[in-house]
Amino acid sequence: MTDSTSSSVHIAADPGAVLDVIADFEAYPEWAEQVKTVTILSEDGDGWADQVEYVLDAGAIKDTYVLEYNWDGIAEDGSGSVSWKLVRAGILKALDGTYTLTTDGDGTQVDYALAADVKIPMIGMLKRKAEKVIVDTALKELKKRVESLN
């Protein structure tokens, strides 16, 4: 993924537990503060969500968007990577990302990369700052949610 922002966090849980929280889209409004509603639009034959619609309210940015997920990089134990790309949105032009889960001693290393763009003009520095806020907030909220369930 080019021109993306990335960050990492250690979560005190195995990759399978982290993956369970990532894949439980309908619970996102309970722990992802800016996500107001989530609807799974389609699933593959294994029960993984293929397309998911989100309603986002992040203050200045409010949008309804659909992401398409690729679960092919996930191993039996939950390690590996899940990626997504933007299918459609109101103001977003891109929202493509990847979570990579790696067993790390007593838990899981989660690496998150995100490339975001909006249809309104925005200089690159501001766009990268917005991506960093999204990535850091998502990792912090994911860590809190997973560790509260374990």
Side-chain angles (χ1 to χ4, degrees):
M1 186 181 323
T2 59
D3 292 334
S4 65
T5 299
S6 61
S7 190
S8 301
V9 69
H10 177 83
I11 298 178
D14 62 67
V18 176
L19 185 63
D20 286 347
V21 170
I22 291 170
D24 187 7
F25 296 107
E26 290 163 329
Y28 277 34
E30 297 172 17
W31 60 271
E33 183 179 333
Q34 299 171 340
V35 176
K36 300 308 172 192
T37 62
V38 178
T39 305
I40 296 173
L41 301 178
S42 64
E43 293 180 347
D44 68 14
D46 293 333
W48 295 104
D50 279 336
Q51 289 197 353
V52 180
E53 181 181 72
Y54 296 83
V55 175
L56 177 75
D57 185 348
I61 298 178
K62 294 176 175 51
D63 204 359
T64 298
Y65 58 93
V66 175
L67 299 180
E68 183 171 277
Y69 286 84
N70 180 336
W71 303 93
D72 292 344
I74 298 295
E76 189 73 26
D77 68 352
S79 64
S81 62
V82 57
S83 59
W84 58 91
K85 65 181 180 180
L86 184 68
V87 174
R88 69 176 182 272
I91 64 170
L92 293 169
K93 189 162 63 172
L95 191 66
D96 303 339
T98 303
Y99 278 121
T100 302
L101 311 179
T102 309
T103 302
D104 181 25
D106 62 346
T108 303
Q109 174 78 20
V110 180
D111 298 309
Y112 181 16
L114 181 71
D117 201 0
V118 291
K119 293 177 181 172
I120 56 174
M122 182 183 286
I123 61 173
M125 183 178 69
L126 289 177
K127 187 167 58 170
R128 295 294 161 254
K129 185 173 182 172
E131 286 174 351
K132 177 134 180 67
V133 169
I134 292 167
V135 167
D136 290 346
T137 301
L139 286 174
K140 180 178 67 175
E141 290 177 336
L142 177 64
K143 177 180 174 68
K144 183 177 177 183
R145 175 68 171 193
V146 172
E147 291 179 352
S148 74
L149 294 174
N150 285 314

